[in-house]
Amino acid sequence: MTVAVTGATGALGAAVARDLADRGVEQRLVVRDPSRAPRLPGATTAVATYEDTDAMARALDGVQTLFLVSGHEDPDRISVHRSAVEGARRAGVERVVYTSFMGAAPGATFPYARDHATTELAIREAGLSLTAMRSALYADMAPLFVGVDGVIRAPAGDGRVAWVARRDVARLAAVLLTGEGHRDQVYDVSGPVAIDLHETARLLADATGRAISYHPETLEEARASRAGHPDWLVEGWIGSYLALHTGEGSVTSHTIEHLTGTPPLDLAGFLAAEPSSWAHLSR
Ligand SMILES: NC(=O)c1ccc[n+]([C@@H]2O[C@H](COP(=O)([O-])OP(=O)(O)OC[C@H]3O[C@@H](n4cnc5c(N)ncnc54)[C@H](OP(=O)(O)O)[C@@H]3O)[C@@H](O)[C@H]2O)c1
């Protein structure tokens, strides 16, 4: 079985590639800039952007199972993904493990979750087997939500999120790419417990030793505090919090422990394991 990994110059793809290499899996890393591709035993590198369907088809020639990392947020993201999927179809890829998002659905509150639903459908309509990883918000992102004044401002109300560490998502991805029984499966992927943003702020304060709090914004406040950025980006940011308010992004699943045999970290565990994620807050 030949496995290919896209996004290997990014955080998640690199972690998946490392995990596969540790398991002795041979893999092809599909990247835009080969000079930034990780050097790993058993890994070769091919160059393609998602937008270049022909290059994707060439890069994926002979590949059976593809780890497709969703592209950077962009108003045109769906057509970028469609191009990558078409390249995979032409190359004869059988199965795509795709980094989707919790609550992916055509009517989702979070705009990017709608894009992920469209991409999931595009993979299936191309005749490829889909393994969807619908991830909760990454724990790695939580310290980045804190403003310079130590306040998390977001229109999430008392909504909850089961923060999931990228390292746990990567462990799961390696199992989904190499194990049996994951064809045509949709998995919710989360940490072990859903907490609200007050509790999130408290855990960040404990880890960093500085005062951190959560201010639940109204929609008007949320738009005003993000003014000056493009509308699609502002609606994306706001939508990710509103999906916690509605509960769409708040699901707690047992997928990681069930399929990998090891429970995922909770937010406190992640902050203890990766102090570099919040080092900027303690300066
Ligand atoms: N659940 C969450 O909280 C959460 C948070 C952040 C992101 N995400 C999603 O998860 C994905 C992976 O996260 P990450 O942290 O690993 O992101 P990341 O570090 O930004 O990595 C994204 C990777 O995708 C590649 N890529 C993006 N657009 C591409 C294109 N058009 N053609 C080819 N390659 C392309 C990038 O290549 P370059 O290095 O060449 O740019 C990079 O290797 C993200 O893309 C995003 O959709 C989820």
Side-chain angles (χ1 to χ4, degrees), residues 148 208 210 275-283:
V148 286
T208 61
R210 68 173 280 190
S276 60
S277 69
W278 50 261
H280 63 285
L281 294 174
S282 58
R283 274 182 216 123

Side-chain angles (χ1 to χ4, degrees), residues 103-272:
T109 298
F110 180 29
Y112 303 161
R114 298 199 286 273
D115 294 352
H116 284 297
T118 305
T119 304
E120 287 185 12
L121 187 60
I123 293 167
R124 289 171 24 228
E125 285 183 342
L128 307 179
S129 174
L130 167 71
T131 306
M133 300 175 68
R134 292 184 174 174
S135 296
L137 288 172
Y138 295 153
D140 314 62
M141 307 295 290
L144 305 177
F145 289 177
V146 181
V148 286
D149 57 356
V151 181
I152 300 173
R153 290 188 173 75
D158 291 333
R160 290 171 175 259
V161 50
W163 301 101
V164 63
R166 265 200 201 97
R167 56 163 73 185
D168 287 320
V169 178
R171 280 196 303 117
L172 174 67
V175 168
L176 298 182
L177 286 162
T178 55
E180 296 294 323
H182 306 303
R183 296 179 69 89
D184 308 312
Q185 298 295 316
V186 174
Y187 294 115
D188 283 328
V189 178
S190 81
V193 58
I195 59 174
D196 65 20
L197 296 191
H198 292 291
E199 178 69 357
T200 298
R202 195 184 65 72
L203 294 173
L204 284 163
D206 285 353
T208 61
R210 68 173 280 190
I212 294 176
S213 61
Y214 165 50
H215 169 72
E217 291 181 308
T218 63
L219 255 184
E220 292 66 33
E221 285 176 325
R223 293 214 167 89
S225 67
R226 292 160 179 82
H229 296 280
D231 283 351
W232 67 269
L233 199 52
V234 171
E235 293 309 311
W237 287 333
I238 290 177
S240 65
Y241 297 116
L242 291 177
L244 306 186
H245 195 45
T246 64
E248 291 156 83
S250 306
V251 174
T252 305
S253 88
H254 302 287
T255 305
I256 293 177
E257 180 166 9
H258 180 63
L259 296 180
T260 70
T262 305
L265 295 170
D266 61 11
L267 183 60
F270 167 77
L271 295 172

Side-chain angles (χ1 to χ4, degrees), residues 7-12 32 36 48-51 69-73 77 80 101 136-138 141 166:
T9 51
L12 181 64
R32 296 197 274 205
R36 291 172 39 237
T49 69
Y50 297 161
E51 290 85 341
V69 169
S70 46
H72 294 307
E73 288 77 10
R77 199 184 200 188
V80 170
F101 199 85
L137 288 172
Y138 295 153
M141 307 295 290
R166 265 200 201 97

